Amino acid sequence: MHISGQVVFGVLAAVSQVLGYQVQTPPLDTEWTYKVGTNPWPEYPRPLLQRPQWQNLNGIWKYRRADPEARMAPINESFANAADVLVPSCLESGLSGVQDINVTYAWLTREFTVPHDWTQTGRRIMLNFEAVDYEATVFVNGRKAGFHRGGYWHFNFDVTNLVRVNGTNTLYVYRNICSSPEDPHVHVFDPTDSMGYNIPMGKQRVNPSHIFYRACTGIWQTVWMESVPKNYIQKLDISADADGKVKMQVATSGGNDKVSISIVGDEGVSIMSHEASGNTPIEFVVDSPKLWSPRLTYSDDEVTSYTGFRTVSVGEVNGIVRPLINGKFFFHFGTLDQGYWPDGLHTPPSREAMVYDLEVLKSLGLNMVRKHIKVEPALFYQACDQLGLLVIQDMPAMFDGEPKPNAAQQAEFERQFEIMIDQHKSYPSIYTWIIYNEGWGQITQGYYPEYDLAARTKQLDPTRLVDATSGWFDHGAGDYHDNHHYANPQCGSPFYSLNSSPHDPKRIAIQGEFGGIGHNVSAQNLWKVQEAINAINQTYEIDADLEAYNYRGHILMTELKEQIQRYACSGAVWTQTTDVEGEVNGFLTYDRRILRLNVDQWKADIQALYDAAQGRTGQYKGQKALN
């Protein structure tokens, strides 16, 4: 016997009533657009807490517009004439199959079955969402399973008691337009930057313009179910330092009963075991740490995870405050990584496509990416862990203008900021958190919230550095003094420009953004939206051809190298990995078909940065990413 059912998600839009899924022609496609198929993102979506019994709910769903005034899930309504839509995808994207712009409300539905043995011997059924933008209220068979707010965070609900063993099950998800999560009985809601709202939204805009892009609405990361025992491991926080000390906290559903931890080496052999109580801090030491994974057993539950051994700290080297990895100064150079795709917007076409960007950066010799005011699927951070690319992780920004957030909006931003840290602090590649970018949503009169937020970050995660204000309104909080300047760098230097401030020698000097030089391409590689094309000339600098682009890149990289040699520069972020819509300043074009770089030149210029750092400190031994 199987439990059959129907999943309905609420989101809203002007629906294209085309039956039968097909990719809609996006303003620009990629080599992966028409290879996605109807079974997208089949990979296990939660690499830090894996179980064998799970079921992917991605694929073709039904989609239709919803009544924004409705208060109840459409239990008895037919979806026979609804359009087919691909999940996960932004409803505004070509990959979705509907490509509806400025979506606010809708319903989505699909049928699914649950294996009969999932309901045996007291097991529980968990329904997991990796990300839904922006608010979601979930009903199963007309009864509320739960509510979630925040477009970048994973969440789940125990739906065991809501499903029927015999008969049809219907699951509804929709956004909420109420002001508090205590009253979530209205439709799915995604205001983006609509008047009266100020939410963590990154670069999404209802009306995109140059550095702001088409919004994303709906289920844009994997939906899946899993079977767990009555007593199960709910969450695992794990970190490990260069000396082999491991710190864990295992959240369990059954209190502080014993948890058995087996450490498995790279050949699958158990090298040590440890027992501790659930829901309490755990510490132990692994001798001569190498590649290994912990396997945890609690009651009848068994999960696997992984970690990496490294220590991130701040220290003074030859009189200059530096970031340290495992006790040594490590010059960090990477790109501003926006994570947008012309066919999927927030959702990459596939894991292969997503990792392609990272592999290009790695092949050039970069050792870091700054994940810019967006949060990626968990598999992105796993890929960075595997490739050895460090990650500076931004908090998705609120609105960049006036008015500034009110007290309730600020409190919600801070709540979601803590969620970001809590959900990502076990990925070893992440080494720095950014709170604010260029003053967007940053309160600068009356008080400076970044001081309390930086202190709170250190409480939640003492293993990483904090960049309180990347660019612009710096009042002295956090571990970094972060300068933004286009096109030339001003890194730890005795000169600065508008919206920056003099270098603070008490903190790490980093060039949080620079470069940004642009090169226009033929129409076949451009985002074919007229407003975006009209904005191309807003690029910080346009170079007429690739010869000029690479010449200018060499000049700016040489300036950065000289600032490393002369001043206190400890890291830099080049804008950017790829073009995005009307921005044409990426290493790669938006469709990933053209790499603008003279590869030999750029590899040499990047290596020269690491060599300059070695010359300053005598410690640095060439560019080596964490592996």
Side-chain angles (χ1 to χ4, degrees), residues 317-481:
V317 181
N318 295 342
I320 298 175
V321 176
R322 301 289 195 183
L324 307 179
I325 302 287
N326 298 342
K328 294 185 178 181
F329 169 45
F330 191 89
F331 187 85
H332 309 136
F333 181 72
T335 51
L336 198 75
D337 196 68
Q338 310 246 33
Y340 275 76
W341 294 81
D343 44 15
L345 302 179
H346 271 196
T347 308
S350 63
R351 183 185 184 278
E352 176 191 359
M354 179 182 70
V355 174
Y356 172 79
D357 284 0
L358 300 175
E359 289 177 335
V360 167
L361 299 179
K362 180 78 173 179
S363 70
L364 292 167
L366 282 73
N367 55 28
M368 170 265 283
V369 292
R370 177 184 170 191
K371 179 45 60 181
H372 190 42
I373 55 178
K374 179 180 184 265
V375 176
E376 295 291 356
L379 295 175
F380 172 90
Y381 302 99
Q382 181 192 41
C384 291
D385 294 337
Q386 293 168 336
L387 288 170
L389 276 171
L390 292 163
V391 177
I392 296 176
Q393 178 62 55
D394 291 21
M395 173 64 186
M398 293 191 288
F399 185 62
D400 57 305
E402 297 291 341
K404 295 298 185 183
N406 60 33
Q409 292 165 343
Q410 178 67 20
E412 180 61 21
F413 173 82
E414 294 184 11
R415 184 189 72 87
Q416 292 194 36
F417 177 68
E418 292 191 10
I419 291 175
M420 180 183 74
I421 295 171
D422 182 62
Q423 293 191 356
H424 295 85
K425 64 184 179 182
S426 292
Y427 293 105
S429 55
I430 298 175
Y431 73 106
T432 294
W433 305 110
I434 290 181
I435 302 172
Y436 289 111
N437 176 74
E438 294 186 349
W440 300 356
Q442 180 184 353
I443 297 170
T444 56
Q445 296 193 5
Y447 76 112
Y448 303 140
E450 65 267 25
Y451 273 98
D452 288 341
L453 281 170
R456 179 62 177 149
T457 303
K458 291 290 189 178
Q459 291 176 343
L460 294 169
D461 179 16
T463 71
R464 291 178 175 86
L465 308 181
V466 181
D467 190 341
T469 53
S470 184
W472 298 16
F473 303 115
D474 178 33
H475 303 111
D479 296 308
Y480 290 91
H481 178 261

Side-chain angles (χ1 to χ4, degrees), residues 72-389:
M72 296 298 295
I75 298 172
N76 298 315
E77 299 179 27
S78 172
F79 283 80
N81 295 320
D84 284 354
V85 66
L86 188 71
V87 170
S89 63
C90 304
L91 293 176
E92 296 87 343
S93 72
L95 283 178
S96 72
V98 293
Q99 199 165 216
D100 287 320
I101 307 302
N102 298 336
V103 175
T104 308
Y105 303 95
W107 294 115
L108 292 90
T109 180
R110 67 153 287 170
E111 294 183 350
F112 66 95
T113 60
V114 178
H116 180 62
D117 58 1
W118 281 23
T119 64
Q120 300 300 304
T121 61
R123 297 187 70 85
R124 314 298 296 176
I125 299 171
M126 306 300 296
L127 180 64
N128 299 284
F129 302 85
E130 291 303 298
V132 180
D133 195 332
Y134 169 68
E135 294 181 351
T137 305
V138 179
F139 286 80
V140 176
N141 296 327
R143 293 182 291 168
K144 189 174 77 171
F147 167 82
H148 177 78
R149 171 178 288 147
Y152 299 91
W153 325 120
H154 62 77
F155 58 97
N156 64 14
F157 303 115
D158 185 334
V159 297
T160 311
N161 297 331
L162 302 181
V163 297
R164 292 188 292 265
V165 175
N166 298 304
T168 301
N169 296 279
T170 307
L171 187 155
Y172 305 88
V173 178
Y174 50 73
R175 284 194 193 87
N176 189 311
I177 60 173
C178 64
S179 60
S180 69
E182 285 72 35
D183 182 28
H185 297 286
V186 291
H187 283 86
V188 172
F189 180 58
D190 183 13
T192 311
D193 59 333
S194 299
M195 186 173 294
Y197 297 95
N198 198 347
I199 64 172
M201 61 183 171
K203 288 201 167 185
Q204 302 180 68
R205 294 296 183 270
V206 171
N207 296 302
S209 61
H210 194 45
I211 66 169
F212 301 107
Y213 319 130
R214 180 174 289 186
C216 174
T217 298
I219 308 164
W220 68 277
Q221 291 187 33
T222 291
V223 185
W224 57 293
M225 296 189 300
E226 64 182 326
S227 173
V228 300
K230 179 180 179 181
N231 294 325
Y232 67 100
I233 295 171
Q234 297 172 313
K235 186 173 183 291
L236 171 64
D237 295 331
I238 182 170
S239 65
D241 67 23
D243 297 324
K245 181 183 291 185
V246 180
K247 294 183 179 181
M248 285 186 181
Q249 184 147 332
V250 185
T252 61
S253 63
N256 59 355
D257 292 343
K258 291 296 182 184
V259 176
S260 296
I261 303 165
S262 177
I263 307 304
V264 181
D266 55 354
E267 297 180 353
V269 178
S270 179
I271 58 177
M272 70 167 290
S273 60
H274 187 80
E275 281 202 351
S277 298
N279 299 308
T280 57
I282 303 167
E283 289 191 18
F284 56 90
V285 175
V286 176
D287 294 330
S288 303
K290 296 180 180 179
L291 182 65
W292 63 275
S293 300
R295 179 179 295 138
L296 284 75
T297 303
Y298 169 72
S299 186
D300 295 326
D301 194 19
E302 182 173 298
V303 301
T304 58
S305 187
Y306 72 90
T307 192
F309 291 87
R310 88 288 184 274
T311 301
V312 180
S313 60
V314 179
E316 191 173 292
V317 181
N318 295 342
I320 298 175
V321 176
R322 301 289 195 183
L324 307 179
I325 302 287
N326 298 342
K328 294 185 178 181
F329 169 45
F330 191 89
F331 187 85
H332 309 136
F333 181 72
T335 51
L336 198 75
D337 196 68
Q338 310 246 33
Y340 275 76
W341 294 81
D343 44 15
L345 302 179
H346 271 196
T347 308
S350 63
R351 183 185 184 278
E352 176 191 359
M354 179 182 70
V355 174
Y356 172 79
D357 284 0
L358 300 175
E359 289 177 335
V360 167
L361 299 179
K362 180 78 173 179
S363 70
L364 292 167
L366 282 73
N367 55 28
M368 170 265 283
V369 292
R370 177 184 170 191
K371 179 45 60 181
H372 190 42
I373 55 178
K374 179 180 184 265
V375 176
E376 295 291 356
L379 295 175
F380 172 90
Y381 302 99
Q382 181 192 41
C384 291
D385 294 337
Q386 293 168 336
L387 288 170
L389 276 171

Side-chain angles (χ1 to χ4, degrees), residues 583-602:
E583 291 191 85
V584 293
N585 52 5
F587 282 174
L588 292 158
T589 52
Y590 198 16
D591 59 6
R592 277 72 169 174
R593 288 187 171 97
I594 297 176
L595 178 66
R596 290 186 170 93
L597 308 187
N598 177 323
V599 172
D600 290 341
Q601 171 199 303
W602 280 83

